[in-house]
């Protein structure tokens, strides 16, 4: 968000990543080929001339990189502001598998949030899970699993201590992230009550 001067958001129907200036409310398409004519796809490359998304559903920003949950490409993609390039980060095929980078399988990732330590949390909607991803190397692991409802939203507080989730039926849940830290604690899966 360039020191608070801009807000990034996804334009799902136009398969684009957009940016609004806080000073004058102007909106610019920063990634997604073909705007204003929607052009869904999965191509990587220069942001506005080559890169494509397919129904992006969320974006989170960390250290000059915007991470996009690209639902219909079953992937988390990244937009490097300095280079002006979109690249694959995690996933790229439908399924449910933890791992690293392209070895990860996701099923329509929706909401995405990043904590103060640079750890990504995603709502892996159709797998009914919250997954945690390292921004360093793309290591992805299941953190939470719902027993019976899709998880649509995730948010982490500014202190990186609490995770909030929203589910299809409107339920909001809160989880303590500590002692779940990115480096000290192995992954744990919790079955949420239906």
């Amino acid at each position: 968000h360039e020191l608070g001067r801009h807000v990034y958001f996804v334009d799902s129907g136009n398969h684009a990543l957009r940016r609004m200036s806080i000073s004058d409310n102007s909106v610019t398409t920063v990634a997604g080929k073909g705007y204003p004519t929607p052009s869904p796809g999965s191509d990587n490359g220069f942001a506005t001339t080559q890169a494509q998304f397919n129904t992006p559903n969320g974006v989170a920003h960390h250290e000059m990189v915007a991470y996009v949950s690209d639902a219909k490409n079953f992937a988390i993609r990244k937009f490097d502001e300095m280079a002006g390039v979109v690249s694959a980060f995690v996933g790229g095929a439908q399924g449910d598998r933890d791992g690293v980078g392209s070895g990860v399988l996701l099923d329509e990732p929706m909401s995405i949030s990043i904590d103060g330590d640079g750890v990504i949390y995603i709502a892996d909607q159709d797998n009914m899970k919250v997954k945690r991803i390292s921004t360093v190397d793309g290591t992805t692991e299941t953190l939470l699993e719902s027993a019976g409802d899709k998880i649509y939203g995730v948010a982490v507080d500014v202190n990186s201590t609490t995770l909030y989730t929203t589910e299809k039926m409107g339920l909001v849940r809160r989880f303590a992230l500590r002692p779940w830290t990115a480096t000290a604690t192995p992954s744990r899966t919790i079955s949420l009550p239906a």
Side-chain angles (χ1 to χ4, degrees), residues 143-167:
L143 183 64
L144 302 171
E145 182 173 357
S146 172
D149 208 353
K150 292 182 179 182
I151 300 172
Y152 284 146
V154 294
V156 63
D157 73 341
V158 69
N159 298 316
S160 308
T161 59
T162 307
L163 176 74
Y164 299 88
T165 66
T166 59
E167 297 181 15

Side-chain angles (χ1 to χ4, degrees), residues 4-5 18 20 23 27 42 49 52-53 68 76 92 94 111 117 119 124 135 138 143 146 158 164 167 173 181-182:
R5 294 196 301 266
R18 308 187 79 189
M20 184 184 78
S23 63
V27 175
S42 61
T49 60
Q52 293 176 292
F53 298 102
V68 177
I76 304 301
Q94 188 174 21
S111 179
D117 298 322
V119 178
D124 194 7
T135 53
L143 183 64
S146 172
V158 69
Y164 299 88
E167 297 181 15
R173 297 183 190 270
T181 63

Side-chain angles (χ1 to χ4, degrees), residues 13-15 32-40:
N14 286 311
H15 313 289
K33 182 174 74 172
Y35 183 84
T37 303
S39 180

Side-chain angles (χ1 to χ4, degrees), residues 64-84:
M64 302 299 288
V65 175
Y67 295 89
V68 177
S69 56
D70 196 4
K72 297 295 185 181
N73 282 322
F74 314 107
I76 304 301
R77 315 270 297 285
K78 66 179 186 177
F79 165 62
D80 184 317
E81 290 181 60
M82 299 301 289

